[in-house]
Coordinates of all heavy atoms in Angstrom, one line a residue:
M21 N 95.3 87.1 125.6 CA 94.3 86.4 126.4 C 94.4 84.9 126.6 O 94.0 84.4 127.6 CB 92.9 86.7 125.8 CG 92.6 88.3 125.9 SD 91.0 88.8 125.3 CE 90.3 87.6 124.2
M22 N 95.2 84.3 125.7 CA 95.6 83.0 125.8 C 96.4 82.7 127.0 O 96.3 81.7 127.7 CB 96.4 82.5 124.5 CG 96.8 81.0 124.6 SD 97.5 80.3 123.2 CE 98.1 81.7 122.2
Y23 N 97.2 83.6 127.5 CA 98.1 83.6 128.6 C 97.5 84.3 129.8 O 98.3 84.6 130.7 CB 99.5 84.1 128.3 CG 100.1 83.2 127.2 CD1 100.2 83.7 125.9 CD2 100.7 82.0 127.4 CE1 100.8 83.0 124.9 CE2 101.0 81.3 126.4 CZ 101.2 81.8 125.1 OH 101.7 81.0 124.1
G24 N 96.3 84.5 129.9 CA 95.6 85.2 131.1 C 95.5 86.6 130.9 O 95.2 87.3 132.0
G25 N 95.9 87.2 129.9 CA 95.7 88.8 129.7 C 94.2 89.2 129.7 O 93.3 88.4 129.6
K26 N 94.1 90.5 130.1 CA 92.7 91.0 130.2 C 92.4 91.9 129.1 O 93.3 92.7 128.7 CB 92.7 91.8 131.5 CG 93.0 91.1 132.8 CD 91.9 90.0 133.1 CE 92.1 89.3 134.4 NZ 92.2 88.0 134.3
R27 N 91.2 91.8 128.5 CA 90.8 92.6 127.4 C 91.1 94.0 127.6 O 91.6 94.9 126.8 CB 89.4 92.2 127.2 CG 88.8 92.6 125.8 CD 87.5 92.0 125.6 NE 87.5 90.7 124.8 CZ 87.1 89.7 125.2 NH1 86.5 89.5 126.4 NH2 87.1 88.6 124.4
E28 N 90.6 94.5 128.7 CA 90.6 96.0 129.1 C 92.0 96.6 129.1 O 92.4 97.6 128.6 CB 89.9 96.3 130.4 CG 88.4 96.0 130.4 CD 88.1 94.5 130.6 OE1 89.0 93.7 131.2 OE2 87.1 94.1 130.2
L29 N 93.0 95.7 129.7 CA 94.3 96.1 129.8 C 95.1 96.1 128.4 O 95.8 97.1 128.1 CB 95.1 95.1 130.8 CG 96.5 95.5 131.1 CD1 96.5 97.0 131.8 CD2 97.1 94.4 132.1
A30 N 94.6 95.1 127.6 CA 95.2 95.2 126.4 C 94.8 96.4 125.6 O 95.6 97.1 124.8 CB 94.8 93.8 125.5
L31 N 93.5 96.7 125.6 CA 93.1 97.9 124.9 C 93.8 99.2 125.4 O 94.0 100.0 124.7 CB 91.5 98.1 125.1 CG 90.6 97.1 124.2 CD1 89.2 97.1 124.7 CD2 90.8 97.5 122.8
H32 N 93.8 99.3 126.8 CA 94.7 100.4 127.5 C 96.0 100.6 126.7 O 96.4 101.6 126.3 CB 94.6 100.2 128.9 CG 95.5 101.2 129.5 ND1 95.1 102.5 129.9 CD2 96.8 101.0 130.1 CE1 96.1 103.1 130.4 NE2 97.1 102.2 130.6
H33 N 96.7 99.4 126.6 CA 98.2 99.5 126.2 C 98.1 99.9 124.7 O 99.0 100.6 124.3 CB 98.8 98.2 126.5 CG 99.1 98.0 127.9 ND1 100.0 98.9 128.5 CD2 98.8 97.1 128.7 CE1 100.1 98.4 129.7 NE2 99.4 97.3 130.0
Y34 N 97.1 99.3 124.0 CA 97.1 99.6 122.6 C 96.9 101.1 122.3 O 97.3 101.8 121.4 CB 96.2 98.7 121.8 CG 96.8 97.4 121.3 CD1 96.2 96.3 121.7 CD2 97.8 97.4 120.5 CE1 96.7 94.9 121.3 CE2 98.3 96.2 120.0 CZ 97.7 95.0 120.4 OH 98.3 93.8 120.1
K35 N 95.9 101.6 123.1 CA 95.6 103.0 123.1 C 96.8 103.8 123.4 O 97.0 105.0 122.8 CB 94.4 103.4 124.0 CG 93.1 102.8 123.4 CD 91.9 103.1 124.3 CE 90.6 102.4 123.7 NZ 89.5 102.5 124.7
Q36 N 97.5 103.4 124.4 CA 98.8 104.2 124.7 C 99.7 104.2 123.7 O 100.3 105.2 123.3 CB 99.4 103.5 126.0 CG 98.8 104.1 127.2 CD 99.6 103.5 128.5 OE1 100.1 102.3 128.5 NE2 99.9 104.3 129.5
A37 N 100.0 103.1 123.1 CA 100.9 103.0 121.9 C 100.5 103.9 120.8 O 101.3 104.6 120.1 CB 101.1 101.5 121.5
L38 N 99.2 103.9 120.5 CA 98.6 104.7 119.4 C 98.8 106.2 119.8 O 99.1 107.1 118.9 CB 97.1 104.4 119.1 CG 96.6 105.0 117.9 CD1 97.3 104.4 116.6 CD2 95.0 104.5 117.8
A39 N 98.6 106.6 121.0 CA 98.8 108.0 121.5 C 100.3 108.5 121.3 O 100.5 109.5 120.9 CB 98.4 108.1 122.8
L40 N 101.1 107.5 121.6 CA 102.7 107.8 121.4 C 103.1 107.7 120.0 O 104.1 108.4 119.8 CB 103.4 106.7 122.3 CG 103.2 106.9 123.8 CD1 103.8 105.7 124.5 CD2 103.9 108.1 124.4
A41 N 102.5 107.0 119.2 CA 103.0 106.7 117.8 C 101.8 106.7 116.8 O 101.5 105.6 116.4 CB 104.0 105.6 117.6
P42 N 101.0 107.7 116.5 CA 99.7 107.6 116.0 C 99.9 107.4 114.4 O 99.1 106.8 113.9 CB 99.1 109.1 116.2 CG 100.3 109.9 116.5 CD 101.3 109.0 117.2
A43 N 101.0 107.8 113.8 CA 101.2 107.5 112.4 C 102.3 106.5 112.2 O 103.2 106.6 111.4 CB 101.6 108.8 111.7
T44 N 102.2 105.3 112.8 CA 103.2 104.3 112.6 C 102.4 102.9 112.2 O 101.5 102.6 112.8 CB 103.7 104.0 114.0 OG1 104.4 105.1 114.6 CG2 105.0 102.9 114.0
K45 N 103.0 102.5 111.0 CA 102.2 101.3 110.4 C 102.2 100.2 111.4 O 101.1 99.7 111.5 CB 103.3 100.9 109.3 CG 102.8 101.5 108.0 CD 103.7 100.9 106.8 CE 103.5 101.6 105.6 NZ 102.2 101.6 105.1
V46 N 103.3 99.9 112.1 CA 103.1 98.6 113.0 C 102.2 98.8 114.1 O 101.5 97.8 114.4 CB 104.6 98.3 113.3 CG1 105.2 99.3 114.4 CG2 104.6 96.8 114.0
V47 N 102.0 100.0 114.6 CA 101.1 100.2 115.8 C 99.6 100.0 115.2 O 98.8 99.3 115.8 CB 101.3 101.5 116.4 CG1 100.2 101.8 117.5 CG2 102.7 101.6 117.2
L48 N 99.3 100.7 114.1 CA 98.1 100.6 113.6 C 97.8 99.1 113.1 O 96.6 98.8 113.3 CB 97.9 101.7 112.4 CG 97.8 103.1 112.7 CD1 98.0 103.9 111.5 CD2 96.5 103.4 113.3
F49 N 98.7 98.6 112.6 CA 98.6 97.2 112.0 C 98.3 96.2 113.3 O 97.3 95.4 113.3 CB 99.8 96.8 111.3 CG 99.9 95.2 111.0 CD1 98.9 94.7 110.3 CD2 100.8 94.4 111.6 CE1 98.9 93.3 110.0 CE2 100.9 93.1 111.3 CZ 99.9 92.5 110.5
E50 N 99.1 96.2 114.2 CA 99.0 95.3 115.3 C 97.7 95.6 116.2 O 96.9 94.6 116.4 CB 100.1 95.5 116.4 CG 101.4 94.8 115.8 CD 101.3 93.3 115.6 OE1 100.5 92.6 116.1 OE2 102.2 92.8 114.7
Y51 N 97.3 96.8 116.3 CA 96.1 97.2 117.0 C 95.0 96.8 116.2 O 94.0 96.1 116.8 CB 96.1 98.7 117.3 CG 95.0 99.1 118.3 CD1 94.1 98.4 119.0 CD2 94.9 100.5 118.4 CE1 93.2 98.9 119.8 CE2 93.9 101.1 119.3 CZ 93.1 100.2 119.9 OH 92.1 100.8 120.8
G52 N 95.0 97.1 115.0 CA 93.9 96.7 114.0 C 93.7 95.3 113.9 O 92.5 94.8 113.8
L53 N 94.8 94.6 114.0 CA 94.7 93.1 113.8 C 94.0 92.4 115.0 O 93.3 91.5 114.9 CB 96.1 92.5 113.7 CG 96.3 91.3 112.9 CD1 95.8 91.3 111.5 CD2 97.8 90.9 112.9
R54 N 94.2 93.0 116.3 CA 93.6 92.5 117.5 C 92.3 93.0 117.8 O 91.6 92.3 118.6 CB 94.6 92.7 118.6 CG 96.1 92.4 118.4 CD 96.3 90.9 118.2 NE 97.7 90.7 118.0 CZ 98.3 90.1 116.8 NH1 97.4 89.7 116.0 NH2 99.6 89.9 116.8
L55 N 91.8 94.1 117.2 CA 90.6 94.7 117.6 C 89.3 93.7 117.5 O 88.5 93.8 118.5 CB 90.4 95.9 116.8 CG 90.8 97.2 117.4 CD1 90.6 98.3 116.6 CD2 89.9 97.5 118.7
P56 N 89.2 92.9 116.6 CA 88.0 92.0 116.6 C 87.8 91.3 117.7 O 86.8 90.9 118.3 CB 88.1 91.2 115.3 CG 89.0 92.2 114.4 CD 90.0 92.8 115.3
A57 N 89.0 90.7 118.3 CA 89.0 89.9 119.5 C 88.8 90.7 120.8 O 88.2 90.4 121.7 CB 90.2 89.1 119.6
L58 N 89.3 91.9 120.8 CA 89.3 92.8 121.9 C 88.0 93.5 122.1 O 87.6 94.0 123.2 CB 90.5 93.8 121.9 CG 91.8 93.1 122.0 CD1 93.0 94.2 121.8 CD2 92.1 92.4 123.3
D59 N 87.4 93.9 120.9 CA 86.1 94.8 121.0 C 85.1 94.0 120.1 O 85.1 94.2 118.9 CB 86.4 96.2 120.5 CG 85.1 97.1 120.5 OD1 84.1 96.5 120.7 OD2 85.3 98.1 120.1
R60 N 84.4 93.1 120.6 CA 83.6 92.2 119.8 C 82.4 92.9 119.2 O 81.9 92.5 118.1 CB 83.1 91.0 120.6 CG 84.3 90.2 121.0 CD 83.9 89.0 121.6 NE 85.1 88.2 121.9 CZ 85.1 87.2 122.8 NH1 84.1 86.9 123.5 NH2 86.3 86.6 123.0
Q61 N 82.0 94.1 119.8 CA 80.9 94.9 119.3 C 81.3 95.7 118.0 O 80.5 95.8 117.0 CB 80.2 95.7 120.3 CG 79.0 96.3 119.9 CD 78.3 97.0 121.1 OE1 79.0 97.3 122.1 NE2 77.0 97.4 121.0
H62 N 82.4 96.4 118.1 CA 82.7 97.3 117.0 C 84.1 97.0 116.5 O 84.6 97.8 115.6 CB 82.8 98.8 117.6 CG 81.4 99.2 118.1 ND1 80.2 99.4 117.4 CD2 81.0 99.4 119.5 CE1 79.3 99.8 118.2 NE2 79.7 99.8 119.4
G63 N 84.7 96.0 117.0 CA 86.2 95.8 116.5 C 86.4 95.5 115.2 O 87.4 95.9 114.6
H64 N 85.5 94.8 114.4 CA 85.7 94.4 113.0 C 85.7 95.7 112.2 O 86.6 95.8 111.4 CB 84.6 93.5 112.6 CG 84.8 93.1 111.2 ND1 85.8 92.1 110.9 CD2 84.3 93.4 110.0 CE1 85.7 91.8 109.5 NE2 84.8 92.6 109.1
D65 N 84.7 96.7 112.4 CA 84.8 97.8 111.6 C 85.9 98.8 111.9 O 86.4 99.2 111.0 CB 83.4 98.6 111.9 CG 82.2 98.0 111.4 OD1 82.3 97.1 110.5 OD2 81.1 98.1 111.9
R66 N 86.3 98.9 113.1 CA 87.4 99.7 113.6 C 88.7 99.1 113.0 O 89.6 99.8 112.7 CB 87.4 99.8 115.0 CG 86.4 100.6 115.6 CD 86.3 100.8 117.1 NE 87.6 101.3 117.6 CZ 88.1 100.9 118.8 NH1 87.4 100.1 119.6 NH2 89.3 101.4 119.3
S67 N 88.7 97.8 113.1 CA 90.0 97.1 112.5 C 90.1 97.4 111.1 O 91.3 97.7 110.6 CB 89.7 95.6 112.6 OG 90.7 94.9 111.9
H68 N 89.1 97.3 110.4 CA 89.2 97.7 108.9 C 89.7 99.1 108.6 O 90.5 99.4 107.8 CB 87.8 97.5 108.2 CG 87.7 97.8 106.8 ND1 87.4 98.9 106.2 CD2 88.1 96.8 105.7 CE1 87.4 98.8 104.9 NE2 87.9 97.6 104.6
D69 N 89.1 100.0 109.5 CA 89.5 101.5 109.3 C 91.1 101.6 109.7 O 91.8 102.3 109.0 CB 88.7 102.3 110.3 CG 87.3 102.4 109.8 OD1 86.9 102.0 108.6 OD2 86.5 102.8 110.6
M70 N 91.4 101.0 110.9 CA 92.9 101.2 111.1 C 93.8 100.4 110.1 O 94.8 101.0 109.9 CB 93.1 100.4 112.5 CG 92.9 101.2 113.6 SD 93.4 100.5 115.1 CE 92.9 101.8 116.3
L71 N 93.4 99.4 109.6 CA 94.3 98.7 108.6 C 94.4 99.5 107.3 O 95.5 99.7 106.7 CB 93.8 97.2 108.3 CG 94.0 96.2 109.5 CD1 93.3 95.0 109.1 CD2 95.5 96.0 109.7
N72 N 93.2 100.1 107.0 CA 93.3 101.0 105.8 C 94.2 102.2 106.0 O 94.9 102.7 105.2 CB 91.9 101.4 105.4 CG 91.1 100.4 104.5 OD1 91.9 99.9 103.7 ND2 89.9 100.2 104.7
E73 N 94.0 102.8 107.4 CA 94.9 103.9 107.6 C 96.4 103.5 107.6 O 97.2 104.2 107.1 CB 94.6 104.4 109.0 CG 95.2 105.7 109.4 CD 94.8 106.1 110.8 OE1 93.7 105.7 111.3 OE2 95.5 106.9 111.4
A74 N 96.7 102.4 108.2 CA 98.1 101.9 108.1 C 98.6 101.7 106.7 O 99.8 102.0 106.3 CB 98.3 100.5 108.9
A75 N 97.8 101.1 105.8 CA 98.2 100.9 104.4 C 98.5 102.1 103.7 O 99.2 102.2 102.7 CB 97.0 100.1 103.7
A76 N 97.7 103.4 104.0 CA 97.9 104.5 103.4 C 99.2 105.3 103.9 O 99.6 106.2 103.1 CB 96.7 105.4 103.6
L77 N 99.8 104.9 104.9 CA 101.0 105.5 105.3 C 102.1 105.1 104.4 O 102.2 104.1 103.8 CB 101.3 105.1 106.8 CG 100.5 105.7 107.9 CD1 100.8 105.0 109.2 CD2 100.6 107.1 107.9
P78 N 103.1 106.1 104.2 CA 104.2 105.8 103.4 C 105.2 104.7 103.9 O 105.2 104.4 105.2 CB 105.1 107.1 103.4 CG 104.7 107.9 104.5 CD 103.1 107.4 104.8
V79 N 105.7 104.0 103.0 CA 106.8 103.0 103.4 C 108.2 103.6 103.5 O 108.5 104.1 102.5 CB 106.8 101.9 102.3 CG1 108.0 100.9 102.5 CG2 105.5 101.1 102.2
N80 N 108.7 103.7 104.7 CA 109.8 104.5 104.9 C 111.2 103.6 105.0 O 112.1 104.2 105.0 CB 109.7 105.4 106.2 CG 108.6 106.4 106.1 OD1 108.5 107.1 105.1 ND2 107.8 106.4 107.1
N81 N 111.0 102.3 105.2 CA 112.2 101.5 105.4 C 111.8 100.1 105.0 O 110.6 99.7 104.8 CB 112.7 101.7 106.8 CG 111.6 101.4 107.9 OD1 110.9 100.6 107.8 ND2 111.6 102.3 108.8
A82 N 112.7 99.1 105.2 CA 112.5 97.7 104.9 C 111.5 97.1 105.9 O 110.6 96.3 105.4 CB 113.8 97.0 105.0
Y83 N 111.5 97.5 107.1 CA 110.5 97.0 108.0 C 109.0 97.4 107.6 O 108.1 96.5 107.7 CB 110.8 97.4 109.4 CG 109.9 96.7 110.5 CD1 110.0 95.3 110.7 CD2 109.0 97.5 111.3 CE1 109.1 94.6 111.6 CE2 108.2 96.8 112.1 CZ 108.2 95.5 112.4 OH 107.5 94.9 113.2
D84 N 108.9 98.7 107.3 CA 107.6 99.2 106.8 C 107.1 98.3 105.6 O 106.0 98.1 105.4 CB 107.7 100.6 106.4 CG 107.5 101.5 107.7 OD1 107.3 101.0 108.8 OD2 107.6 102.7 107.4
K85 N 108.2 98.0 104.7 CA 107.8 97.3 103.5 C 107.2 95.9 103.8 O 106.2 95.3 103.3 CB 109.0 97.0 102.6 CG 108.6 96.5 101.3 CD 109.7 96.5 100.4 CE 109.5 95.9 99.0 NZ 110.5 96.0 98.1
L86 N 107.7 95.2 104.9 CA 107.3 93.9 105.5 C 105.9 94.1 106.1 O 105.1 93.2 105.7 CB 108.2 93.4 106.4 CG 109.6 92.7 105.9 CD1 110.5 92.4 107.2 CD2 109.2 91.4 105.3
I87 N 105.8 95.1 106.9 CA 104.4 95.3 107.6 C 103.4 95.6 106.4 O 102.3 95.2 106.6 CB 104.6 96.4 108.5 CG1 105.4 96.0 109.7 CG2 103.2 96.8 109.1 CD1 105.1 94.8 110.4
Q88 N 103.8 96.4 105.4 CA 102.9 96.6 104.3 C 102.3 95.4 103.8 O 101.0 95.3 103.4 CB 103.4 97.5 103.2 CG 102.6 98.1 102.2 CD 101.6 99.0 102.7 OE1 101.9 99.8 103.7 NE2 100.4 99.3 102.2
G89 N 103.1 94.4 103.5 CA 102.6 93.2 102.9 C 101.7 92.5 103.8 O 100.7 91.9 103.5
D90 N 101.9 92.5 105.2 CA 101.1 91.9 106.2 C 99.7 92.6 106.2 O 98.7 92.1 106.4 CB 101.7 92.0 107.6 CG 102.9 90.9 107.6 OD1 103.1 90.1 106.8 OD2 103.7 91.1 108.5
I91 N 99.8 94.0 106.1 CA 98.5 94.8 106.2 C 97.7 94.4 104.9 O 96.5 94.2 105.1 CB 98.9 96.2 106.1 CG1 99.6 96.7 107.4 CG2 97.6 97.1 105.8 CD1 100.3 98.0 107.4
T92 N 98.2 94.2 103.7 CA 97.6 93.9 102.5 C 96.9 92.6 102.6 O 95.8 92.4 102.3 CB 98.5 93.9 101.3 OG1 99.1 95.3 101.3 CG2 97.8 93.6 100.1
Y93 N 97.7 91.6 103.2 CA 97.1 90.2 103.5 C 95.9 90.3 104.5 O 94.9 89.7 104.2 CB 98.1 89.2 104.0 CG 97.6 88.0 104.3 CD1 97.4 87.1 103.2 CD2 97.3 87.6 105.6 CE1 96.9 85.8 103.5 CE2 96.9 86.3 105.8 CZ 96.5 85.4 104.8 OH 96.1 84.2 105.0
A94 N 96.1 91.1 105.6 CA 95.0 91.2 106.4 C 93.8 91.8 106.0 O 92.7 91.4 106.2 CB 95.6 92.0 107.7
L95 N 93.9 92.9 105.2 CA 92.8 93.4 104.5 C 92.1 92.6 103.5 O 90.9 92.4 103.5 CB 93.2 94.7 103.7 CG 93.3 96.0 104.6 CD1 94.1 97.0 104.0 CD2 92.0 96.4 105.2
E96 N 92.8 91.8 102.7 CA 92.2 90.8 101.9 C 91.5 89.7 102.6 O 90.4 89.3 102.3 CB 93.4 90.1 101.0 CG 93.9 91.0 100.0 CD 95.2 90.4 99.3 OE1 95.6 89.3 99.7 OE2 95.6 91.1 98.5
T97 N 92.1 89.3 103.8 CA 91.4 88.3 104.7 C 90.1 88.9 105.2 O 89.1 88.1 105.3 CB 92.4 87.9 105.7 OG1 93.5 87.4 105.2 CG2 91.8 86.8 106.7
L98 N 90.2 90.1 105.7 CA 88.9 90.7 106.2 C 87.8 90.8 105.1 O 86.6 90.7 105.5 CB 89.1 92.2 106.6 CG 89.8 92.4 108.0 CD1 90.0 93.8 108.3 CD2 88.9 91.9 109.1
H99 N 88.2 90.9 103.9 CA 87.3 90.9 102.8 C 86.9 89.5 102.2 O 86.1 89.5 101.3 CB 87.6 91.9 101.6 CG 87.9 93.3 101.8 ND1 86.9 94.1 102.3 CD2 89.0 94.1 102.0 CE1 87.3 95.3 102.5 NE2 88.5 95.3 102.3
G100 N 87.3 88.6 102.9 CA 87.0 87.2 102.5 C 87.9 86.7 101.3 O 87.5 85.6 100.8
G101 N 89.0 87.4 100.9 CA 89.7 86.9 99.9 C 90.9 86.1 100.3 O 91.6 85.5 99.5
G102 N 91.1 86.0 101.5 CA 92.3 85.1 101.9 C 92.1 84.0 102.7 O 91.0 83.5 102.9

């Protein structure tokens, strides 16, 4: 949105990514991270759910391990610990 993006279009693309790769840590993480700004009414709660879902997925490779650390930090921040 900083560069002129549209909220509705961003949500559309995140939903497409989630449909294509529903059990992917990075998709759930990125979508969950952006939801509070994209959906001001329900985004915070949905963000928490998505980040928890991403955290519960297995770590399959080194990239997943990096993302897992980011997910943990994001969840701690949501809970006021970061």
Side-chain angles (χ1 to χ4, degrees):
M21 294 190 331
M22 181 173 19
Y23 298 105
K26 304 287 185 235
R27 201 175 258 118
E28 297 80 21
L29 189 57
L31 283 168
H32 170 76
H33 288 298
Y34 276 120
K35 287 176 185 175
Q36 275 188 320
L38 195 57
L40 292 170
T44 305
K45 266 185 191 301
V46 70
V47 171
L48 288 165
F49 168 64
E50 290 293 341
Y51 191 6
L53 208 58
R54 308 297 180 239
L55 262 173
L58 294 172
D59 179 358
R60 294 185 182 162
Q61 190 172 15
H62 304 288
H64 186 77
D65 293 335
R66 290 177 57 213
S67 173
H68 183 264
D69 293 344
M70 270 189 189
L71 291 172
N72 276 321
E73 187 178 343
L77 290 172
V79 173
N80 295 315
N81 54 47
Y83 187 64
D84 279 356
K85 188 173 182 178
L86 282 171
I87 295 299
Q88 187 70 28
D90 292 340
I91 293 166
T92 300
Y93 178 77
L95 283 167
E96 289 171 357
T97 302
L98 278 177
H99 292 298

